[in-house]
C-alpha cells in the first residue's frame, strides 16, 4: 500500500504561501516496495493509554501508562508494576505528587546506557509539587529483582505545564507537554517538551517548554550545547511546537524529531545544535493581530476546517520570514496535521530495503476534512542522509489505532503502543 507524500523546502513553501491557491508540489519518489510480510503479536492488552516503552537486550521492557504509572514486562512475560501515578492502586510505591490531566501524565521512559552497572532508569511525568505545576524528568534505581524502584531524583523539574483551560481546540489543562526521553550513542540524554498553548514559550530563552533538552544523567547541560546567548544552557534546540518523537540516525548519529503541526504541517526535522525550529505563535507577530488567549497556534479560523496552505501562510509551523535561519523540515506530511508522534529507526537484515529507514507513528486527527490517517510511515533517506527520498505507508497486519509510540526491540521487531490500550510486536518475514 502506498501513500503519496510531499516534501516542502523553503523556496517551495515561500512560493506556495505567497497566495491562497493550492499549488502542486513535486512528489517524493515512491520507488521502495513494501516487500516485507509483517507478522504481529499482541504483547500486552487492556492497558490505560500506554505511552512509551524501553528495552534491555534480553527483551525486558519498561512501559508507561499515562494515568496509571510505570511497569516492567520481564523477558518471560511477567509484568511487575513499579511506580504509580498519584494514588493508583496496585503499585508497590507511588508518586503522590504525580497526576494526569488532558494530554499530561506519565510519558517517556528510558534505561540508562550503563544500566547493568548503575540500575538507573528515567521517566518523564507531570507533578503538582510546585505551583504552577510542572513536568519533571525523574531518575530512579530499579531493584535487582525488577520489582521496585527507589532513590527518586528529579533531574529536570521546570518544564512548563498548562494549568488552566484556554479558548483553543483541545484547549483543556495539560496540553502540549512533548514527552519523549531518549539517549544517543554518546550517552547524552534528550528530552522533548511542548508549548503548553502559551505563545511566549517557544522563543523564550528561559522557559523550558518547546525545547529539546540535551543533558547528562544528573540533569546538567552537555558542555557543547550551543543555544543563543541568554538561553538556558540545557537547550539543544528551541522554537518547537510539541515534539513527541526523537530518534538518532544510525549512520550520522544526528538527532531527528517528529512533531505535531497546528492543523497543518506535521514535520520531521534534522536538528542542528542551537537551532530554532521557527514556531512562534505569539499575537502581533508576523502580521497577525490579537489571538484567542494570547496564542495564535490554531489561527485563523481555529475551530473550523480551511485550506491547509492558507492556514500555513497565516500561522506557519516553521516561520522562515521571521526566522530565515530556522531549521528546515525534511518532511511535512503533505501539509496535513495528523498527530505525528514517536519515531525510530528500523534495524536488521530482515527488514530488507527498509533496514536503516525511519518509522513514525501517526495517531490521526480527522479535523476539518483532514484524513484521519492512523498509520506507520516508513521514511527512507537519500544517500547522503540529508533529505527524504521515499515514504511508504506500512501495510499493517492488524487494526490501526493511535500509534503513540514506536520502538525497536532487541529481537529486531518493531514494537508499537496505541492509545486504545495495546502494545503490538511487528516482525518482518512470512
Amino acid at each position: 500500500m502506498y501513500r503519496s507524500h510531499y516534501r516542502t523546502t523553503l523556496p517551495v513553501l515561500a512560493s506556495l504561501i505567497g497566495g491562497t491557491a493550492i499549488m502542486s508540489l513535486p512528489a517524493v519518489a515512491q520507488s521502495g516496495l513494501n516487500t516485507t510480510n509483517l507478522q504481529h503479536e499482541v504483547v500486552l492488552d487492556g492497558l490505560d493509554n500506554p505511552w512509551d516503552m524501553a528495552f534491555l537486550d534480553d527483551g525486558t521492557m519498561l512501559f508507561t501508562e499515562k494515568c496509571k504509572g510505570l511497569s516492567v514486562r520481564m523477558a518471560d512475560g511477567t509484568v511487575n508494576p513499579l511506580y504509580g501515578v498519584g494514588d493508583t492502586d496496585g503499585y508497590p510505591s507511588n508518586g503522590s505528587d504525580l497526576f494526569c490531566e488532558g494530554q499530561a501524565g506519565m510519558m517517556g521512559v528510558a534505561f540508562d546506557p550503563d544500566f547493568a552497572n548503575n540500575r538507573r532508569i528515567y521517566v518523564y511525568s507531570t507533578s503538582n509539587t510546585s505551583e504552577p505545576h510542572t513536568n519533571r524528568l525523574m531518575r530512579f534505581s530499579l531493584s535487582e529483582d525488577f520489582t521496585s524502584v527507589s532513590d527518586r531524583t528529579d533531574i529536570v523539574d521546570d518544564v512548563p505545564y498548562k494549568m488552566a483551560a484556554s479558548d483553543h481546540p483541545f484547549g483543556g489543562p495539560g496540553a502540549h507537554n512533548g514527552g519523549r526521553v531518549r539517549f544517543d550513542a554518546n550517552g547524552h540524554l534528550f528530552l522533548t517538551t511542548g508549548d503548553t498553548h502559551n505563545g511566549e514559550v517557544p522563543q523564550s530563552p528561559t522557559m523550558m517548554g518547546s525545547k529539546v533538552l540535551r543533558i547528562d544523567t544528573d540533569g546538567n547541560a552537555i558542555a557543547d550545547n550551543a543555544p543563543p546567548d541568554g538561553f538556558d544552557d540545557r537547550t539543544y534546540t528551541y522554537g518547537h511546537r510539541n515534539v513527541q518523537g526523537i530518534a538518532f540516525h544510525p549512520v550520522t548519529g544526528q538527532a531527528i524529531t517528529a512533531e505535531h503541526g497546528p492543523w497543518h504541517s506535521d514535520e520531521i526535522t534534522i536538528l542542528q545544535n542551537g537551532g530554532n525550529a521557527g514556531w512562534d505563535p505569539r499575537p502581533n507577530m508576523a502580521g497577525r493581530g490579537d489571538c484567542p488567549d494570547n496564542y495564535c497556534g490554531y489561527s485563523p479560523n481555529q475551530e473550523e476546517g480551511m485550506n491547509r496552505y492558507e492556514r500555513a501562510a497565516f500561522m506557519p509551523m516553521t516561520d522562515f520570514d521571521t526566522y530565515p535561519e530556522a531549521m528546515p523540515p525534511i518532511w511535512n506530511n503533505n501539509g496535513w496535521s495528523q498527530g505525528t508522534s514517536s519515531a525510530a529507526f528500523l534495524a536488521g537484515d530482515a527488514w530488507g530495503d527498509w533496514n536503516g529507514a525511519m518509522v513514525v507513528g501517526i495517531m490521526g486527527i480527522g479535523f476539518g476534512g483532514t484524513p484521519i490517517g492512523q498509520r506507520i510511515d516508513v521514511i527512507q533517506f537519500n544517500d547522503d542522509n540529508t533529505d527524504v527520498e521515499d515514504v511508504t505507508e506500512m501495510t499493517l497486519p492488524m487494526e490501526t489505532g493511535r500509534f503513540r509510540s514506536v520502538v525497536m526491540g532487541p529481537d529486531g521487531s518493531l514494537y508499537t503502543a496505541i492509545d486504545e490500550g495495546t502494545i503490538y510486536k511487528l516482525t518482518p518475514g512470512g
Side-chain angles (χ1 to χ4, degrees), residues 150-170:
S150 60
D151 304 324
R152 171 179 162 179
T153 303
D154 294 3
I155 62 172
V156 177
D157 62 5
D158 59 346
V159 177
Y161 167 80
K162 184 183 179 185
M163 292 289 291
S166 61
D167 178 19
H168 300 110
F170 308 107

Side-chain angles (χ1 to χ4, degrees), residues 72 74 80 82 119 142-149:
V72 60
M74 305 301 292
N80 299 329
L82 295 173
R119 308 296 299 180
L142 180 55
S143 64
E144 292 287 342
D145 62 0
F146 291 85
T147 61
S148 63
V149 294

Side-chain angles (χ1 to χ4, degrees), residues 80-321:
N80 299 329
L82 295 173
Y83 196 71
V85 171
D87 59 0
T88 306
D89 292 334
Y91 292 82
S93 61
N94 290 61
S96 60
D97 61 308
L98 304 185
F99 70 98
C100 74
E101 185 171 24
Q103 299 169 24
M106 188 170 283
M107 293 168 274
V109 64
F111 280 104
D112 193 291
D114 196 29
F115 174 80
N117 295 314
N118 63 26
R119 308 296 299 180
R120 287 177 169 181
I121 62 173
Y122 304 83
V123 186
Y124 181 69
S125 194
T126 310
S127 167
N128 63 18
T129 296
S130 62
E131 194 71 29
H133 308 333
T134 60
N135 293 295
R136 294 172 174 239
L137 182 57
M138 305 174 293
R139 187 183 71 207
F140 294 93
S141 296
L142 180 55
S143 64
E144 292 287 342
D145 62 0
F146 291 85
T147 61
S148 63
V149 294
S150 60
D151 304 324
R152 171 179 162 179
T153 303
D154 294 3
I155 62 172
V156 177
D157 62 5
D158 59 346
V159 177
Y161 167 80
K162 184 183 179 185
M163 292 289 291
S166 61
D167 178 19
H168 300 110
F170 308 107
H176 289 192
N177 308 280
R180 209 61 64 178
V181 181
R182 293 290 185 265
F183 281 91
D184 71 1
N186 297 314
H188 299 154
L189 180 53
F190 286 72
L191 171 65
T192 71
T193 69
D195 69 11
T196 67
H197 285 166
N198 183 338
E200 298 296 325
V201 166
Q203 299 296 323
S204 169
T206 57
M207 291 188 283
M208 299 313 294
S210 299
K211 310 294 189 290
V212 174
L213 283 65
R214 187 174 67 157
I215 55 177
D216 64 20
T217 55
D218 292 320
N220 301 311
I222 300 302
D224 66 348
N225 286 356
D229 290 345
F231 272 66
D232 189 298
D233 59 7
R234 295 170 294 175
T235 303
Y236 187 69
T237 56
Y238 65 102
H240 294 281
R241 183 175 179 270
N242 189 26
V243 177
Q244 287 193 2
I246 187 167
F248 305 96
H249 195 282
V251 175
T252 68
Q254 290 172 296
I256 303 174
T257 53
E259 187 167 1
H260 295 271
W263 300 146
H264 65 83
S265 306
D266 291 343
E267 290 183 349
I268 291 176
T269 304
I270 299 175
L271 300 188
Q272 303 164 8
N273 188 1
N276 184 356
W279 175 244
D280 190 351
R282 287 177 290 181
N284 305 305
M285 287 285 297
R288 296 184 298 271
D290 292 338
C291 298
D293 288 345
N294 294 313
Y295 180 77
C296 300
Y298 301 96
S299 299
N301 192 24
Q302 64 175 15
E303 297 290 354
E304 298 180 22
M306 65 179 292
N307 180 292
R308 60 194 187 277
Y309 298 121
E310 292 181 37
R311 194 185 293 279
F314 185 87
M315 183 61 253
M317 180 70 162
T318 303
D319 184 355
F320 292 110
D321 287 340

